[in-house]
Amino acid sequence: MASFMAKYIFITGGVVSSLGKGITCAGIGKILESRGLKVTLIKCDPYINVDPGTMNPYQHGEVYVTEDGAETDLDLGHYERFTKARMTKFNNVTTGQVYNAVISKERRGDYLGKTIQVIPHITNEIKERVKKAAEVSGADIVIVEIGGTVGDIEGLPFLEAARQFRLDMGYNNVLYIHLTLIPYIKVADEIKTKPTQHSVGTLREIGIQPDILICRTEKALSEEVKEKISLFCNVRKEAVIEAKDVESIYQIPLVFKNQILDEIILSHFNLICKFSDLKDWQNSVVEHTLNPKHKVTIALVGKYITLQDAYKSIYESLVHAGIHNDAKVEIKKVDSEDIQKKGPDKLLKGVSGILVPGGFGYRGIEGKIKAIKFARENKIPFLGLCLGMQCAVIEFSRNVCGLKDANSTEFKPKTKYPVISLLAEQKKIKDLGGTMRLGAYPCKIKKNTLAFRVFGKTKILERHRHRYEFNNKYKKLLERKGMKFCGIYPKKNLVEIIELKNHPYFIAVQFHPEFKSKPDEAHPLFREFIKAALLNSNVKAQKG
């Protein structure tokens, strides 16, 4: 079985949170994958929620949706963007899931009357979930990111499980990497290693001696500093890896590669693999990211824009589309509530494209609708995602079809024209978690449409996370006025893609294409959106 053959890397973080463990894991996954190994990655989240599906984006950031419909941590997005690994429900383990499973087993009598304790029952459940992910994926290397910071009380069961893994699997089958901060004190013009020493000390008290240290730093680490870290943290000097701040996260695999991190890892596991210099990644991704020939400004009109991680996959998808079009995409973050109050003219002036993302709840909706009207009337390339599609339908129904009270029953249950509404089966649901239309669903695309030109095929599979749908009762009216329903989920005849006639690029989708975009393979919708925006920008420049 794969779980007995796989090698395991546990990655922990110290000193402060938000050091970038997810991107570090993804970068390591990339360099190992380039050596011919199959990798999978797991995020262990210490929070007691079963999943992030009911959590506020301001607290947690975006909810990343896997192909099989799991609502997971946003770091799984980094894993999929950097590697070929396909994430599933087995790749995100939370404290809530673990305790829920253990308590359910206890209630069934599976433990034969034993007293249930953190050790061994909780830690065994964590280990079994890690092994299950390895087995399902068939991976050679399993990279396990433990969320939070060493010393957090809620993370202790995961760290204990990681400690036990080496006892269970053998020394050369398990590797520990610790990501830590080397702060720079500006007034003293010194970098300080003491926080890292304390962090490693705390980890060692738990029973884990890191094999590799990855040091986040503003300044380059001198040989003397590396020797000091090596001595006080009991880590070989060559295994002290500098992770200096970079312009683009897509440089991270190259940073690790240049310090032979892949060789250090392979040596520990006694693995001999093919050589790779990551030249393709350097030329096709990094070079176009750092030195693009063109520039374009896109307005993202949302209601969670104050938190960078709320639209993480969308921002990255725009970057990917920029890479493909050899362009730097400047994202103008516009609060939809500001448009609601001040109007779109000033806030959206000069942008070459407008994107309206998904979300939940009524706040800021009218601002999104005004932004869409502005894009439609001024022939500005527009891309609507999930709620963005629903808002586009509402705007068109009101301002083109004359249905002045048109709305979604999510926002106005008694609306006279419910152009967006709940499906019958959704009306019976009371629990909010994990009950939406989630995961990958097929979509059939009509030929001779913009959508067909974008995708180049009639059948696609895209990921969903929503509860409300277009009301087919209004389809004929909207079609007569110029809206095309060009993508349909055949099984239930649900509208998946809409577009407008006589517009350079106006397309909106009920799914979330941002979850399937990669830096070396931009999603077609984003790729063509940026292409249209660049064309729009050039037309404006010529007129100017």
Side-chain angles (χ1 to χ4, degrees), residues 211-369:
D211 302 294
I212 297 170
L213 286 179
I214 297 180
C215 303
R216 286 296 309 277
T217 175
E218 290 180 55
K219 301 277 187 176
L221 302 181
S222 66
E223 292 303 305
E224 183 183 1
V225 168
K226 285 186 178 181
E227 286 171 3
K228 184 177 180 181
I229 294 170
S230 170
L231 177 64
F232 283 96
C233 295
N234 196 31
V235 174
R236 290 179 302 153
K237 182 184 168 187
E238 62 268 27
V240 177
I241 306 297
E242 174 188 295
K244 194 167 175 284
D245 294 347
V246 289
E247 286 184 60
S248 167
I249 59 172
Y250 299 118
Q251 293 173 264
I252 296 295
L254 299 177
V255 169
F256 291 160
K257 178 69 183 173
N258 290 339
Q259 296 177 77
I260 63 168
L261 178 56
D262 51 339
E263 293 290 349
I264 295 168
I265 293 171
L266 294 176
S267 174
H268 177 88
F269 289 139
N270 294 323
L271 293 173
I272 299 173
C273 301
K274 70 171 188 177
F275 177 75
S276 168
D277 56 12
L278 287 176
K279 272 283 189 282
D280 288 347
W281 185 264
Q282 167 74 46
N283 296 333
S284 65
V285 175
V286 176
E287 185 60 33
H288 288 291
T289 303
L290 300 181
N291 303 300
K293 292 179 181 177
H294 312 290
K295 186 170 72 173
V296 67
T297 302
I298 301 296
L300 186 142
V301 181
K303 55 185 180 178
Y304 310 121
I305 59 164
T306 54
L307 182 69
Q308 172 72 12
D309 285 345
Y311 300 116
K312 189 66 181 174
S313 290
I314 294 175
Y315 294 146
E316 291 307 313
S317 296
L318 289 169
V319 171
H320 304 163
I323 291 170
H324 182 90
N325 286 284
D326 204 6
K328 176 179 174 58
V329 179
E330 294 188 341
I331 302 171
K332 183 177 182 179
K333 300 173 185 177
V334 182
D335 193 317
S336 57
E337 287 190 284
D338 288 342
I339 292 183
Q340 196 167 321
K341 295 170 189 173
K342 303 173 186 177
D345 292 31
K346 287 185 179 179
L347 293 170
L348 299 178
K349 184 180 179 182
V351 303
S352 296
I354 296 172
L355 187 153
V356 175
F360 297 90
Y362 183 64
R363 183 177 63 82
I365 291 300
E366 295 302 324
K368 290 188 175 188
I369 291 169

Side-chain angles (χ1 to χ4, degrees), residues 28 31 36 59 74 89 102 112 132 143 156 162 239 244 259 294 323 335 344 434 449 466 468 470-471 480 483 498 501:
I28 291 171
I31 61 173
Q59 283 202 355
L74 60 83
K89 62 184 178 182
V102 169
L112 301 176
K132 181 68 175 177
I143 301 170
L156 289 175
K244 194 167 175 284
Q259 296 177 77
H294 312 290
I323 291 170
D335 193 317
T449 62
H466 62 98
Y468 291 79
F470 174 76
N471 188 342
R480 283 201 305 270
M483 180 171 280
I498 65 165
K501 298 176 182 177

Side-chain angles (χ1 to χ4, degrees), residues 179 339 474:
L179 178 67
I339 292 183
Y474 296 93

